[in-house]
Amino acid sequence: MMTSVLFQRARVIDPRNGVDGIRDVLVTDGRVAQVSEAVLPAPKDARVVDATGKWVVPGFIDLHVHLREPGEEGKETVLTGCRAAVAGGFTGVVAMPNTKVVNDSALVTELVLSRARDAALCHVYPAGAITKGLKGEELSEAGELVGAGCVALTDDGRPVMNAALMRRVLQYATLFDVPVMVHEEDLTLSAGGAMHEGATSTRLGLRGIPASAEVAMVARDLVLLEETKGRLHVAHVSCEGSVRLIREAKKRGLRVTCEVAPHHFTLDDRAVGDYDTHAKMAPPLRADADVKALREALVDGTVDAIATDHAPHGVSDKQVEFEKGINGIVGLETALGLTLALVHEGVLTPRRAVELLSEGPARVFGLPGGHLAPGSPADITVVSPGEEWTVDAHRFYSRSRNTPFHGRTLKGRVTQTWVGGRCVFEDGQLKESR
Ligand SMILES: [Zn+2]
């Protein structure tokens, strides 16, 4: 059994600890032992990884993943979702509770955690439902959920339309110091809509979802947040208006954080093209001005994390008329390449890109990892930043193939993923211990 690993001549990017430069990294017994500017001697039993030209960065953490188990194992399971995660460089994922038995109890939380232990690939952090059965009527037992291991509360997939209930959960969650994560969509404004309301929806003759469906709910929840002194995390921010409100609330010291999904900073509503259901998601792809605003917010710190909203669906869910197409795309295996596109375009620095994928999400949900200080868990992603590859959905480790990025050439790929000092993915292959 190998107990140490030495990464040689890596470009180590560790935003929290202010490191960006060529270093050797020594891992011993599952933890980072040393990050050194000087060349380190290899211990006798060590595996030596020549990381010349590569980035060695804190393992990525995805705050927003749908693993579909229990209930929709044909789309994804905890195991296949973890495979997709480590193939995408993620060493930790937060599992959304809108499974087909909703995670609103310790029983379901424990089931997800036990499947994750069996998979033994990456960390899985369940999120528990805000309301029982996601019905928006009655609060679930937050204490029980957090006690069982939930790291956040969310009804993701649905908004909490009842403002009084939202106010109560913001208050209640402060007892457990977990964030309340919100899918912002005023259903009375989005009703009947299939895509962003704009020139493209008019051309295609589709009912639109106005930006206000999101922005009005963000405004409401910031008002409630200020009153309750709670902790709010806004999922998949898609509009300029939301960004402006969150930026202003942060300036005033409110405890609000937010995430943006790669598809929202990469594509605008024109990607719907000719009724392409692979461009259908909630919130929808927005206007060009919104994409610009999201990119600015990624740069200036308004956005805390890039999260994929990995949403696996079967072929039959997408091979239907646009209006009937189900929302969502898979994202774990394309997130790095799409994020690095912003680096190659000069929008983000490498350091900021790494921060948005690792340190930022760890901080937002208070998760371990996200940095490489000596003593921290050796959750490490090795990136080949200039390597070009073409997305082939048929080769995804995810059980689902629903992506608008099939055939797109991306620059930058994950060459190794290490979790707790164990290599779980290398050169396109999984290293499963099972
Ligand atoms: Zn959502």
Side-chain angles (χ1 to χ4, degrees):
M1 185 71 193
M2 213 169 286
T3 54
S4 37
V5 189
L6 178 63
F7 298 92
Q8 292 180 321
R9 294 176 295 276
R11 177 175 177 186
V12 175
I13 305 174
D14 177 4
R16 188 186 300 177
N17 296 303
V19 177
D20 182 358
I22 305 301
R23 301 283 189 280
D24 279 7
V25 179
L26 180 66
V27 167
T28 310
D29 295 328
R31 296 194 170 266
V32 176
Q34 221 180 331
V35 179
S36 164
E37 279 185 74
V39 172
L40 292 176
K44 215 166 51 233
D45 63 341
R47 173 174 170 192
V48 175
V49 176
D50 178 4
T52 308
K54 306 274 191 345
W55 296 356
V56 165
V57 301
F60 305 149
I61 297 170
D62 192 341
L63 297 178
H64 196 145
V65 169
H66 297 273
L67 294 178
R68 303 293 187 218
E69 188 176 0
E72 290 183 295
E73 289 82 358
K75 296 182 175 184
E76 197 79 287
T77 64
V78 174
L79 174 62
T80 60
C82 287
R83 285 176 177 157
V86 298
F90 291 92
T91 56
V93 296
V94 176
M96 293 297 108
N98 65 336
T99 37
K100 285 295 157 70
V101 179
V102 171
N103 185 6
D104 58 6
S105 70
L107 208 67
V108 180
T109 304
E110 281 157 12
L111 172 89
V112 173
L113 286 172
S114 119
R115 291 284 188 275
R117 274 193 300 275
D118 292 346
L121 282 168
C122 66
H123 309 287
V124 174
Y125 306 104
I130 293 173
T131 64
K132 289 187 181 162
L134 303 179
K135 290 199 177 89
E137 291 162 3
E138 199 186 335
L139 292 185
S140 47
E141 280 300 332
E144 177 188 319
L145 288 164
V146 174
C150 286
V151 298
L153 298 173
T154 183
D155 272 4
D156 181 59
R158 298 183 56 78
V160 178
M161 282 299 288
N162 182 325
L165 206 63
M166 187 62 201
R167 189 170 184 275
R168 261 203 286 145
V169 74
L170 280 167
Q171 275 168 336
Y172 195 45
T174 60
L175 295 176
F176 312 103
D177 202 33
V178 289
V180 178
M181 176 179 184
V182 281
H183 169 119
E184 300 294 46
E185 177 183 354
D186 184 316
L187 298 174
T188 65
L189 289 167
S190 64
M195 66 172 294
H196 176 64
E197 182 181 276
T200 307
S201 67
T202 306
R203 176 174 67 80
L204 297 175
L206 292 168
R207 276 274 287 281
I209 300 169
S212 58
E214 176 178 303
V215 184
M217 288 290 275
V218 171
R220 182 201 77 174
D221 287 344
L222 289 172
V223 170
L224 297 174
L225 179 68
E226 182 154 23
E227 217 165 57
T228 56
K229 313 260 185 296
R231 233 173 107 190
L232 182 75
H233 177 72
V234 184
H236 44 51
V237 169
S238 73
C239 317
E240 185 180 12
S242 310
V243 163
R244 211 181 306 131
L245 290 171
I246 293 165
R247 182 180 289 131
E248 190 263 352
K250 282 188 160 189
K251 260 190 204 130
R252 287 194 298 117
L254 300 196
R255 296 177 79 196
V256 59
T257 53
C258 72
E259 67 187 40
V260 167
H263 46 270
H264 285 127
F265 65 66
T266 305
L267 302 175
D268 62 35
D269 59 347
R270 288 170 294 186
V272 173
D274 239 346
Y275 307 94
D276 180 3
T277 53
H278 283 142
K280 186 164 195 264
M281 58 278 286
L285 298 173
R286 297 291 187 181
D288 182 44
D290 295 303
V291 176
K292 285 201 182 85
L294 294 180
R295 289 173 169 217
E296 281 166 24
L298 286 164
V299 173
D300 75 9
T302 303
V303 175
D304 300 272
I306 289 172
T308 66
D309 194 3
H310 178 82
H313 290 298
V315 173
S316 59
D317 299 312
K318 289 287 190 184
Q319 280 183 354
V320 289
E321 294 154 65
F322 192 84
E323 278 139 308
K324 291 191 183 133
I326 202 162
N327 287 315
I329 61 167
V330 290
L332 286 166
E333 293 169 80
T334 48
L336 173 74
L338 294 170
T339 302
L340 288 188
L342 296 186
V343 173
H344 299 306
E345 286 173 42
V347 176
L348 293 180
T349 61
R351 177 186 168 144
R352 181 69 183 140
V354 169
E355 185 173 51
L356 285 160
L357 288 166
S358 60
E359 199 275 335
R363 176 175 38 77
V364 167
F365 280 12
L367 304 174
H371 69 109
L372 298 175
S376 60
D379 295 346
I380 290 171
T381 302
V382 183
V383 171
S384 178
E387 192 179 327
E388 289 196 354
W389 61 289
T390 301
V391 179
D392 180 354
H394 307 290
R395 299 188 61 183
F396 281 165
Y397 283 102
S398 168
R399 189 162 274 180
S400 291
R401 312 270 170 260
N402 50 312
T403 175
F405 300 114
H406 177 72
R408 179 180 284 235
T409 298
L410 296 175
K411 195 170 158 193
R413 82 185 304 177
V414 172
T415 59
Q416 291 177 347
T417 307
W418 295 74
V419 177
R422 183 166 70 91
C423 188
V424 291
F425 176 80
E426 182 170 14
D427 295 331
Q429 301 299 316
L430 294 167
K431 306 271 167 195
E432 287 177 283
S433 61
R434 310 146 26 88

